[in-house]
Amino acid sequence: MTNLVPTPAPDGTKLVYPRAAIVAALARAGAGMGLTLGPLAVIDPTAVVGLILGGLGLIFAAYGVQALIRARSEVIVSGDEICLEGPIAARVPWDALVSVKLSYYTTKRGREGGWMVLTIRGTGRAVRIESSLEGFAGLLARAVGEAQAREAAAQQKRERRRAREREREPRHAREVRRGLREQRGVVRAHEGRDARAGDGPTLIEAQTYRYGGHFGADDPLSYRSEEEDGL
């Protein structure tokens, strides 16, 4: 059976944009500039037509500049970070990873034949990579794996912090929380009644009293017996 899950890019991987894709992008940019800016050099268009053609020509020019930037860019993956080398350099350490976002773009109404942009965001910086990059699938798998590892580590850290907080929590607070859990269990188990199912309401009668005194000189044993206080 064919494995459809891409292998994550290993440490030391260097990825570049394929030359064929760069040449095709430059050809499209050149053709677009010729069709939009070319007429401006041989005719005297109206202001509106000139503005439209000039705007379209600038868009194609920007597209060509982006292709040149990709041609001089290289993505390097290491155990510590992902680095984009080139005219627009950026790096994101894995331990500072904030989010991984995959966006899809297309110019067709049917949403087919488009391209993807991977945004790997750290604290203050972001690396953006287009799907035409060689080894893009492996890079995406590596970024997702790093994000999942960071999330699992953060979850373990939160659980350890909550455990420490529970250990420092006063005994009476733990008793109150246990009592609330027991009350919720009684509500759920009481004769199988469910108000949402039309069985009518359920009355829960709970009796409680003060755990401690109002102030330091107030004797807590006036509210609880010594036997209860030792539980």
Side-chain angles (χ1 to χ4, degrees), residues 134-167:
E134 293 180 344
F136 179 82
L139 179 61
L140 173 60
R142 175 63 183 270
V144 171
E146 293 288 347
Q148 291 175 339
R150 297 301 177 273
E151 177 59 28
Q155 179 64 25
Q156 292 178 358
K157 184 177 180 180
R158 289 192 293 267
E159 291 176 355
R160 289 194 297 267
R161 184 177 66 251
R162 285 195 292 265
R164 290 193 299 268
E165 292 174 351
R166 285 194 294 269
E167 292 175 356

Side-chain angles (χ1 to χ4, degrees), residues 17 100-105 115-120 127-132 136 140:
Y17 289 93
V100 175
K101 180 181 179 182
L102 185 64
S103 304
Y104 179 77
Y105 301 93
W115 69 95
M116 293 178 287
V117 176
L118 174 63
T119 303
I120 303 174
V127 173
R128 293 178 176 84
I129 303 164
E130 292 192 11
S131 55
S132 59
F136 179 82
L140 173 60

Side-chain angles (χ1 to χ4, degrees), residues 17-139:
Y17 289 93
R19 181 179 179 84
I22 298 298
V23 172
L26 290 175
R28 288 191 293 269
M33 293 174 61
L35 293 174
T36 55
L37 300 181
L40 297 180
V42 296
I43 64 174
D44 186 16
T46 63
V48 175
V49 173
L51 183 61
I52 294 175
L53 293 177
L56 292 174
L58 290 177
I59 292 175
F60 282 111
Y63 181 73
V65 170
Q66 289 181 349
L68 292 175
I69 291 175
R70 290 195 298 271
R72 298 177 59 84
S73 298
E74 182 181 45
V75 178
I76 303 174
V77 180
S78 68
D80 299 325
E81 63 182 4
I82 178 170
C83 179
L84 176 62
E85 297 287 354
I88 302 179
R91 62 183 63 224
V92 173
W94 292 126
D95 58 4
L97 182 63
V98 175
S99 65
V100 175
K101 180 181 179 182
L102 185 64
S103 304
Y104 179 77
Y105 301 93
T106 181
T107 57
K108 299 181 180 180
R109 181 175 299 179
R111 303 291 295 172
E112 73 277 1
W115 69 95
M116 293 178 287
V117 176
L118 174 63
T119 303
I120 303 174
R121 188 173 300 279
T123 53
R125 295 303 302 270
V127 173
R128 293 178 176 84
I129 303 164
E130 292 192 11
S131 55
S132 59
L133 182 80
E134 293 180 344
F136 179 82
L139 179 61

